[in-house]
Amino acid sequence: MTDPVQVDVVRVVSLHEAWLRRRHLGCVLDFVRWCDNPLAFVFASVMDPFATAEGVDGFRELCQVAEAGGRRVELLRTDLMGVPFAAHGGSLGAIGLTTSTRHHGLPMRRTQLDTYRGRQLCPLVFVPALACWQRGYVLGAVVPRLGAGIAACGCGPCDDRSLLRFDRTWTSQVPQEVREDAQAHDVAEWSRLATAVLSASQPGVAWATICAGAFRTAGHIGDTCKVKITLPKSLT
């Protein structure tokens, strides 16, 4: 990483999620300090490389070191983590359309693969009120007691159709047209959220406000519907 390259070259660094943990992080930080070039990070994981608080904290520290001196730093193949990354000074965040394009995938153990395949029977959809993706059956479980508001959507692709249309389960896999419908909604809504955050006078504060709202909504769902909503650690 210390060899010189052209000034318009960005070094792409692909790292296993383990490098974000405290026991390994110092080594990565040293190499980043020794490198003078713009950097683009991609993280590999079986599921979510930012699924733990330690991983999120490690990534924040990595960004602080990498961005020192105004260096260009990018986060590729990520999920909504790209928004706070950009809000706190990152140059670019690339959000994937599917779970497999939101990180570098790794081989799964048999039990993990069975769980993964089971989840593929119901669509995954971005829920603005929770600032994250949830399975359609989660909306089906909460709407009867919470009301239809959480499933209402006025984005262009939805055209006022309820997100409850994704509360369905198939015997093999979600049909392609349903996945495309969900992805069109996802892009419209997380793009709207990202624009609102990054155009705010204080993007970091705007992002924190959205996160706080998501946790309030999840807590209300838990109290009212007795449904536990798991929010990603990146919202903390």
Side-chain angles (χ1 to χ4, degrees), residues 1 9-13 28 31-33 35-42 62 65-67 71-76 85 91-92:
M1 289 178 64
V9 171
V10 176
R11 290 185 184 270
V12 178
V13 183
V28 177
F31 275 103
V32 168
R33 291 187 183 100
C35 178
D36 295 329
N37 305 119
L39 297 173
F41 292 104
V42 186
L62 175 63
V65 171
E67 293 165 3
R71 176 185 9 210
R72 180 179 180 83
V73 182
E74 302 174 358
L75 177 60
L76 308 181
F85 170 74
S91 303
L92 179 150

Side-chain angles (χ1 to χ4, degrees), residues 15-21 24 42-52 54-55 106:
L15 296 171
H16 189 283
E17 63 174 323
W19 289 101
L20 295 174
R21 299 171 191 163
H24 303 303
V42 186
F43 293 94
S45 175
V46 173
M47 294 295 180
D48 178 7
F50 306 116
T52 66
E54 186 179 20
L106 295 175

Side-chain angles (χ1 to χ4, degrees), residues 62-145:
L62 175 63
C63 290
Q64 290 173 359
V65 171
E67 293 165 3
R71 176 185 9 210
R72 180 179 180 83
V73 182
E74 302 174 358
L75 177 60
L76 308 181
R77 290 184 69 129
T78 189
D79 56 12
L80 209 66
M81 188 69 159
V83 177
F85 170 74
H88 289 95
S91 303
L92 179 150
I95 298 177
L97 287 178
T98 65
T99 53
S100 60
T101 57
R102 293 177 195 141
H103 63 277
H104 273 166
L106 295 175
M108 298 182 187
R109 297 192 300 271
R110 181 59 180 269
T111 55
Q112 293 173 320
L113 186 58
D114 290 343
T115 300
Y116 171 81
R117 287 172 174 167
R119 289 203 302 261
Q120 303 313 299
L121 305 181
C122 184
L124 190 66
V125 60
F126 186 76
V127 182
L130 296 170
C132 66
W133 281 263
Q134 297 287 336
R135 293 290 167 186
Y137 55 73
V138 172
L139 294 172
V142 303
V143 163
R145 296 194 63 180

Side-chain angles (χ1 to χ4, degrees), residues 109-187:
R109 297 192 300 271
R110 181 59 180 269
T111 55
Q112 293 173 320
L113 186 58
D114 290 343
T115 300
Y116 171 81
R117 287 172 174 167
R119 289 203 302 261
Q120 303 313 299
L121 305 181
C122 184
L124 190 66
V125 60
F126 186 76
V127 182
L130 296 170
C132 66
W133 281 263
Q134 297 287 336
R135 293 290 167 186
Y137 55 73
V138 172
L139 294 172
V142 303
V143 163
R145 296 194 63 180
L146 196 65
I150 193 172
C153 186
C155 75
C158 283
D159 193 22
D160 291 326
R161 293 177 297 159
S162 172
L163 297 181
L164 281 176
R165 68 187 186 275
F166 299 116
D167 177 24
R168 292 186 59 189
T169 300
W170 281 263
T171 56
S172 55
Q173 65 177 4
V174 178
Q176 180 67 25
E177 62 271 19
V178 176
R179 292 200 301 270
E180 291 176 352
D181 186 19
Q183 287 174 10
H185 156 80
D186 293 349
V187 172

